[in-house]
Amino acid sequence: MNPGTRRAVVAGIGSYVPDKVLTNQDLERVVDTSEEWIVTRTGIHERHILEDHLTTSDMAVEAASRALRHAGCPASEVDLVLLATVTGDYVFPSTACVVQEKLGLTNAGAFDIGSSCSGFIAALSTGSAFVQSGTFKNVLVIGADAISRLVDWKDRNTCVIFGDGAAAVLLRPGFGDRGILSCYLKSDGAGCRYLYQPAGGAKMPPSLDSITNRLHYIRMDGRETFKQAARSMTQAAFEALKMAGLETTDVDLMVPHQANIRIIQAAVQRMGLPMDQVAVNIDRYGNTVAASIGLALDEAQQNGRVTAGDNILMVGFGAGLTWGGIVLRWGV
Ligand code: COA
């Protein structure tokens, strides 16, 4: 490591989940499923669902306020807002702009990043590059999704795995040996049909037909997604570690995207990491898309599982297909 190098450090972190909880028993009343099937196939016991009167920007604002408070950063000093989401308040403008207005970040630029479940990794990588280059000083990175708004509550293949939430970090420049050490991003557009929302975009604008055929909801090939996720998350982990000049044995905590406990276990096993070095909260939140990694990281720091100097390996995977990894040395 080269002390004196400018890199992005995490100066503050915060997260938010809606109050409303949907249990597996609740789902048994909605679709043909069972508590036993959901727990053994996914590891999920319950998830949080956004109340009807709230939207993605409300969750993002709550998580971001907590991160700014944690960092002691006044609203006027935020230079850039990056919001990873696939469930923005509108198709346009970006929800980052809505958040900027709601939080009074009057000196900030703002834009969205739509990288689905690896959105937090993509946004954090982008924020890190802006901080590292000296373009911006205080960059607010948010992952927020109200994915329940795109879930087909008649489709048992998908409706049991998702939940809503938001997480945020404030990035700032640091000049010691802490901060974001490496970012790895990869995608394979050939897999775009494995997980997508067919209608609502320019390819298939909303119509009576698209609504009747339920094409505004998530379509997923679960088995194919599963296979690709386990493989890609392992690759992302190894690549990010290599770029940081670290080995698996240097990892203090791995924070993977929370898609399915079996995907996490498969990736962790391939890496040779013990499960007690892995942050897991899928049992309580399900797959919260762009929020998932930040939510697990925030929970880990709140529970005292990370201390200054720890090497944290974050890995994500999502629609696109997209995947990536970040090595973060905790502390400012
Ligand atoms: N309750 C009960 N049975 C269900 C069910 C549910 N909620 N969902 C599917 N099934 C049934 C299927 O219909 C199938 O029945 P069949 O054999 O009669 O056709 C059976 O369970 C097995 O289905 P399969 O798809 O092989 O199950 P699985 O072990 O692969 O688990 C997923 C399904 C969706 C949980 C799993 O494939 C998965 O997690 N995939 C990745 C999804 C993901 O992470 N997406 C987001 C990526 S960021």
Side-chain angles (χ1 to χ4, degrees):
M1 216 55 55
N2 179 13
T5 303
R6 181 186 174 106
R7 54 170 68 92
V9 301
V10 170
I13 182 164
S15 61
Y16 172 83
V17 288
D19 292 336
K20 190 169 135 191
V21 173
L22 187 72
T23 65
N24 292 342
Q25 288 82 6
D26 294 331
L27 279 166
E28 285 176 355
R29 289 188 281 276
V30 177
V31 284
D32 179 16
T33 191
S34 67
E35 155 86 1
E36 196 265 332
W37 192 96
I38 301 171
V39 172
T40 52
R41 299 293 178 115
T42 70
I44 302 166
H45 289 260
E46 59 187 35
R47 67 289 288 146
H48 292 245
I49 302 292
L50 190 62
E51 295 81 0
D52 289 346
H53 66 283
L54 296 174
T55 183
T56 300
S57 63
D58 296 313
M59 294 193 292
V61 161
E62 200 47 56
S65 305
R66 291 173 189 185
L68 291 177
R69 254 195 323 272
H70 190 216
C73 179
S76 59
E77 288 184 14
V78 174
D79 301 306
L80 182 68
V81 183
L82 298 174
L83 173 57
T85 188
V86 289
T87 52
D89 290 7
Y90 312 104
V91 173
F92 75 91
S94 74
T95 304
C97 292
V98 179
V99 170
Q100 184 221 7
E101 196 273 330
K102 284 185 178 175
L103 282 173
L105 310 176
T106 45
N107 295 316
F111 62 93
D112 285 358
I113 291 180
S115 229
S116 67
C117 295
S118 54
F120 199 74
I121 298 289
L124 211 47
S125 302
T126 310
S128 170
F130 276 127
V131 171
Q132 206 171 7
S133 67
T135 309
F136 294 114
K137 191 168 166 218
N138 291 312
V139 177
L140 183 59
V141 175
I142 312 168
D145 269 301
I147 196 69
S148 64
R149 303 275 159 94
L150 297 187
V151 161
D152 185 346
W153 295 102
K154 289 184 190 261
D155 178 10
R156 68 178 183 171
N157 288 297
T158 52
C159 75
V160 302
I161 64 177
F162 292 106
D164 300 332
V169 295
L170 184 80
L171 296 180
R172 233 184 228 153
F175 299 91
D177 66 350
R178 295 175 185 167
I180 294 179
L181 306 185
S182 68
C183 301
Y184 172 79
L185 294 174
K186 192 88 199 303
S187 55
D188 177 10
C192 98
R193 292 282 184 293
Y194 294 143
L195 181 55
Y196 75 126
Q197 179 191 354
K203 189 172 165 69
M204 197 187 294
S207 67
L208 198 53
D209 242 20
S210 67
I211 290 167
T212 311
N213 293 313
R214 310 181 76 74
L215 295 171
H216 297 269
Y217 295 123
I218 295 168
R219 291 286 168 98
M220 182 180 76
D221 180 334
R223 279 178 211 185
E224 199 50 49
T225 312
F226 190 104
K227 267 195 289 183
Q228 303 269 359
R231 196 182 307 135
S232 307
M233 296 231 295
T234 315
Q235 190 215 356
F238 282 130
E239 292 293 338
L241 283 172
K242 193 164 77 188
M243 289 166 78
L246 299 178
E247 308 277 342
T248 307
T249 47
D250 297 315
V251 175
D252 295 292
L253 184 72
M254 178 171 166
V255 186
H257 170 51
Q258 313 281 312
N260 182 318
I261 189 66
R262 292 187 295 134
I263 294 176
I264 295 174
Q265 286 163 341
V268 166
Q269 196 179 19
R270 286 177 203 192
M271 289 186 62
L273 259 187
M275 270 309 276
D276 62 4
Q277 274 176 246
V278 183
V280 175
N281 63 8
I282 189 170
D283 50 322
R284 282 160 291 130
Y285 304 116
N287 179 348
T288 55
V289 192
S292 119
I293 294 170
L295 197 56
L297 179 62
D298 188 31
E299 197 170 85
Q301 73 86 26
Q302 283 189 38
N303 294 339
R305 288 187 75 187
V306 285
T307 46
D310 279 358
N311 292 321
I312 299 171
L313 170 65
M314 296 177 264
V315 285
F317 170 86
L321 300 171
T322 54
W323 61 99
I326 285 179
V327 177
L328 165 70
R329 184 164 295 149
W330 191 253
V332 291

